[in-house]
C-alpha cells in the first residue's frame, strides 16, 4: 500500500530555481487541501469543507474529482510524483464509488467522475482507470430513460446536472473510449432538448426544470449552456438540426442582452432578476461567451467572435476586481468569481489577439492571490459561496468553489512563463 506522505515533505526541490510565485502558491494550496485527506477502504478522498468530514462527495463541482484534476495538473507542472500518487489514490476512491452513484450529471455525478477517471488514465497510462471510466459511462447509458422523441436522465436540462452537461461528457467519452454509441446517446438527449425549447424574441430559450419557476439564460443553468451543447453536437454528428436550434438560442440571448456601450451583459433570471448581472462562469459573460466562441469555431462567422469581445468588454466595464457588484460579491471561485473571470480572459486573449485581455486576467489573478489566507497549513480562500448568504464564509477544497479551482488558475498563470498550457480541458470548455 502506498504511504501517504505530506505534500510539504514530497514537494521540495533543492538548489536555486527561478522565482515562480504562482506555482509556489498552487503548491501551498495543495498542501492545505491535502491536510484534510481521508483514507478510505479503496483510496483517498477530501471533504469539501475540511471542518466537516461529512462534506465528502464525489461531484466535480465541490468534491474529490476536482482535487484529483488539480493534483494531475500539478504533476504536469512539476514532475513531482507525490502529486501523481495523490491523483491515483483519489481516482481509486472514485472508481469504487461508481456502482453506488445515482446522479449522472457533469458537475454533480457520474459524468464528472468518468471525465476525471479518463484524465487520470491518460496521464498514468493505467488501464484500470479507463476501465472504470467505461463503467461510469455504461451506468449513465443504463440510467437513460425515454422522453419524447429522445432520452433524458432527469427533468433537468442544464450543464451542471442535466442533459446538456451529461451529453457533453458522452461526446468526450465517445472519442476517448472509442465508443460511437455514446455519441448516439448524446444525440438522443439533444433531440429531447429541442422538444423542450420555448419560443421567445425570435429565438428559443430553455427552462432548467419544469419544477423551477425562474428561467436563467446564461451558461450553467440556462439557454447558453444548452445551446452550447447543441452546437457541439452538430459539430460532432454533422446534423444541422442541432445547429439550427443552437443559433436560435443565441438569437434569444442577443435579443435580451444589455448592449449599450458595445458590451454584452445578460441578466441573471426572469422574471425577478432582470436587473441583476453576474460576471463569471455560472451566470455571466465568462460562461455565456463560450457559446459565442463555439459558434465562431464551427461557422467561422466573425460576428460570433465580436460577441465574445462584447462579453469581455461587458466584464471590464464594471470596474472589477476592485469594485464589487451585487452579482460579483465576496467570491473568488471558478463558478461565480474571480478565478472564472481570469480563466476566461486568459482563454480568449490569443484567439482575440488582444494582449490587454492577458493584462486584465493577470490583474484578476493577482487580486485572487492577495485574497488568499496563507499560514503554516498552506493557502486557502475563505469566501461566500452564495450571494444571498454573504456572511456564510467557508474555505473549500473542490474545483468550482474551492482551492483546487483557484490553484488551477494559478497553474495557468505559471504556465504562461514556461509556455505550458493546462492539460485539463473540461467537456464544456471550447478553449484549447
Amino acid at each position: 500500500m502506498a504511504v501517504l506522505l505530506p505534500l510539504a515533505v514530497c514537494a521540495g526541490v533543492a538548489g536555486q530555481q527561478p522565482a515562480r510565485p504562482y506555482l509556489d502558491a498552487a503548491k501551498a494550496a495543495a498542501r492545505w487541501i491535502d491536510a484534510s485527506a481521508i483514507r478510505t477502504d479503496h483510496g483517498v478522498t477530501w471533504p469539501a469543507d475540511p471542518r466537516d468530514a461529512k462534506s465528502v462527495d464525489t461531484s466535480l463541482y465541490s468534491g474529490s474529482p476536482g482535487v484529483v484534476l488539480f493534483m494531475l495538473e500539478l504533476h504536469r507542472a512539476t514532475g513531482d510524483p507525490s502529486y501523481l500518487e495523490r491523483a491515483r489514490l483519489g481516482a481509486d476512491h472514485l472508481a469504487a464509488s461508481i456502482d453506488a452513484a445515482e446522479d449522472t450529471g457533469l458537475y454533480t455525478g457520474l459524468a464528472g467522475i468518468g471525465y476525471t477517471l479518463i484524465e487520470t488514465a491518460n496521464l498514468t497510462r493505467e488501464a484500470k482507470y479507463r476501465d472504470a471510466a467505461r463503467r461510469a459511462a455504461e451506468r449513465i447509458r443504463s440510467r437513460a430513460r425515454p422522453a419524447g422523441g429522445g432520452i433524458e436522465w432527469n427533468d433537468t436540462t442544464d450543464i451542471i446536472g442535466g442533459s446538456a452537461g451529461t451529453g457533453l461528457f458522452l461526446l468526450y467519452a465517445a472519442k476517448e473510449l472509442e465508443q460511437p454509441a455514446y455519441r448516439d446517446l448524446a444525440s438522443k438527449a439533444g433531440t429531447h432538448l429541442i422538444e423542450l425549447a420555448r419560443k421567445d424574441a425570435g429565438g428559443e430559450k430553455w427552462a432548467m426544470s419544469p419544477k423551477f419557476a425562474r428561467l436563467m439564460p446564461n451558461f450553467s443553468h440556462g439557454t447558453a449552456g444548452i445551446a452550447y451543447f447543441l452546437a457541439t453536437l452538430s459539430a460532432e454528428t454533422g446534423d444541422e438540426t442541432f445547429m439550427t436550434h443552437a443559433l436560435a438560442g443565441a438569437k434569444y440571448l442577443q435579443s435580451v442582452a444589455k448592449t449599450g456601450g458595445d458590451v454584452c451583459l445578460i441578466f441573471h433570471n426572469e422574471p425577478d432578476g432582470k436587473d441583476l448581472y453576474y460576471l463569471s462562469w455560472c451566470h455571466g459573460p465568462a460562461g455565456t461567451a463560450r457559446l459565442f466562441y463555439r459558434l465562431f469555431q464551427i461557422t467561422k462567422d466573425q460576428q460570433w467572435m465580436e460577441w465574445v469581445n462584447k462579453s469581455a468588454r461587458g466584464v471590464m466595464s464594471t470596474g472589477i476586481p476592485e469594485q464589487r457588484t451585487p452579482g460579483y460579491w465576496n467570491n473568488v471561485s471558478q463558478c461565480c468569481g474571480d478565478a472564472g473571470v481570469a480563466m476566461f480572459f486568459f482563454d480568449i486573449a490569443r484567439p482575440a489577439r488582444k494582449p490587454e485581455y492577458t493584462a486584465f486576467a493577470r490583474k484578476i489573478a493577482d487580486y485572487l492571490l492577495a485574497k488568499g489566507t496563507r499560514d503554516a497549513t498552506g493557502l486557502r480562500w475563505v469566501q461566500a459561496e452564495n450571494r444571498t448568504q454573504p456572511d456564510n464564509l467557508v474555505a473549500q477544497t473542490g474545483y468550482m468553489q474551492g482551492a483546487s479551482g483557484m490553484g488551477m488558475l494559478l497553474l495557468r498563470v505559471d504556465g504562461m512563463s514556461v509556455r505550458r498550457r493546462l492539460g485539463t480541458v473540461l467537456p464544456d470548455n471550447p478553449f484549447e
Side-chain angles (χ1 to χ4, degrees):
M1 179 181 292
V3 178
L4 195 65
L5 294 175
L7 288 178
V9 173
C10 303
V13 178
Q16 293 294 319
Q17 300 290 333
R20 293 173 69 177
Y22 299 104
L23 179 60
D24 291 342
K27 291 178 179 179
R31 289 197 302 274
W32 177 78
I33 293 168
D34 205 54
S36 66
I38 298 172
R39 275 281 193 180
T40 71
D41 291 340
H42 303 283
V44 168
T45 190
W46 298 264
D49 178 355
R51 304 171 306 174
D52 180 8
K54 294 181 180 179
S55 67
V56 164
D57 74 61
T58 56
S59 75
L60 176 55
Y61 191 89
S62 59
S64 56
V67 180
V68 171
L69 294 173
F70 178 40
M71 295 296 175
L72 290 173
E73 201 64 47
L74 268 168
H75 175 70
R76 290 188 183 100
T78 65
D80 188 327
S82 68
Y83 296 123
L84 190 59
E85 181 61 16
R86 285 302 188 281
R88 284 192 178 101
L89 291 169
D92 289 341
H93 174 78
L94 290 174
S97 74
I98 290 170
D99 292 340
E102 299 295 329
D103 194 300
T104 56
L106 177 58
Y107 284 94
T108 57
L110 282 162
I113 293 171
Y115 168 77
T116 303
L117 290 168
I118 292 174
E119 291 296 298
T120 305
N122 287 344
L123 194 57
T124 64
R125 304 299 180 187
E126 293 185 45
K128 67 177 182 178
Y129 298 120
R130 196 168 299 277
D131 292 341
R134 287 192 185 94
R135 285 197 292 115
E138 284 300 311
R139 186 162 175 80
I140 290 171
R141 179 158 65 172
S142 71
R143 295 187 65 81
R145 65 193 190 195
I151 57 100
E152 65 183 11
W153 291 271
N154 50 44
D155 66 2
T156 305
T157 60
D158 67 9
I159 291 287
I160 292 280
S163 292
T166 303
L168 286 170
F169 166 72
L170 289 170
L171 293 175
Y172 163 86
K175 293 180 178 178
E176 293 290 330
L177 301 179
E178 299 180 340
Q179 284 287 344
Y182 298 150
R183 184 175 61 244
D184 297 339
L185 194 63
S187 294
K188 292 178 181 178
T191 295
H192 184 53
L193 285 172
I194 289 172
E195 295 171 340
L196 295 175
R198 304 181 184 185
K199 303 292 183 184
D200 192 2
E204 294 178 349
K205 63 184 181 182
W206 284 263
M208 181 182 76
S209 163
K211 298 174 184 175
F212 198 76
R214 293 175 179 171
L215 267 73
M216 295 168 285
N218 289 288
F219 196 77
S220 64
H221 290 305
T223 296
I226 293 164
Y228 178 92
F229 167 54
L230 294 176
T232 305
L233 196 51
S234 178
E236 294 293 328
T237 65
D239 189 334
E240 289 295 326
T241 302
F242 296 122
M243 178 57 76
T244 296
H245 292 276
L247 291 169
K251 185 174 183 179
Y252 164 74
L253 293 168
Q254 290 173 311
S255 73
V256 299
K258 179 181 179 181
T259 55
D262 202 26
V263 304
C264 173
L265 292 168
I266 298 173
F267 58 78
H268 179 270
N269 77 82
E270 57 176 325
D272 57 357
K274 289 190 172 183
D275 294 321
L276 177 63
Y277 295 91
Y278 280 36
L279 301 180
S280 196
W281 173 88
C282 57
H283 298 288
T288 296
R290 291 185 173 195
L291 167 62
F292 300 141
Y293 188 72
R294 178 61 99 211
L295 293 175
F296 170 70
Q297 287 177 311
I298 297 170
T299 68
K300 310 303 181 186
D301 187 337
Q302 193 63 37
Q303 72 151 314
W304 297 117
M305 194 66 209
E306 182 51 30
W307 277 88
V308 173
N309 287 318
K310 286 176 182 283
S311 300
R313 290 193 291 268
V315 173
M316 297 175 79
S317 71
T318 65
I320 67 165
E322 298 86 359
Q323 183 173 330
R324 311 308 276 187
T325 72
Y328 202 67
W329 63 101
N330 180 25
N331 184 290
V332 294
S333 73
Q334 288 279 357
C335 179
C336 314
D338 298 273
V341 169
M343 199 72 86
F344 166 62
F345 277 89
F346 281 130
D347 284 338
I348 64 171
R350 184 175 63 170
R353 300 178 182 177
K354 291 184 180 294
E356 62 267 32
Y357 289 173
T358 300
F360 185 70
R362 282 187 177 275
K363 179 181 180 180
I364 299 287
D366 287 343
Y367 176 88
L368 176 145
L369 190 55
K371 291 286 288 184
T373 299
R374 193 188 293 261
D375 58 24
T377 65
L379 178 61
R380 64 192 182 277
W381 287 265
V382 181
Q383 62 172 10
E385 176 176 347
N386 299 306
R387 174 182 57 84
T388 56
Q389 296 176 301
D391 298 324
N392 184 14
L393 303 176
V394 180
Q396 297 187 48
T397 62
Y399 192 88
M400 294 306 284
Q401 292 287 354
S404 293
M406 275 72 112
M408 198 72 83
L409 170 66
L410 296 173
L411 291 177
R412 178 66 184 276
V413 185
D414 172 73
M416 296 178 69
S417 67
V418 292
R419 297 184 181 275
R420 185 196 72 250
R421 291 181 66 82
L422 293 181
T424 303
V425 181
L426 292 166
D428 64 307
N429 187 348
F431 307 105
E432 299 176 359

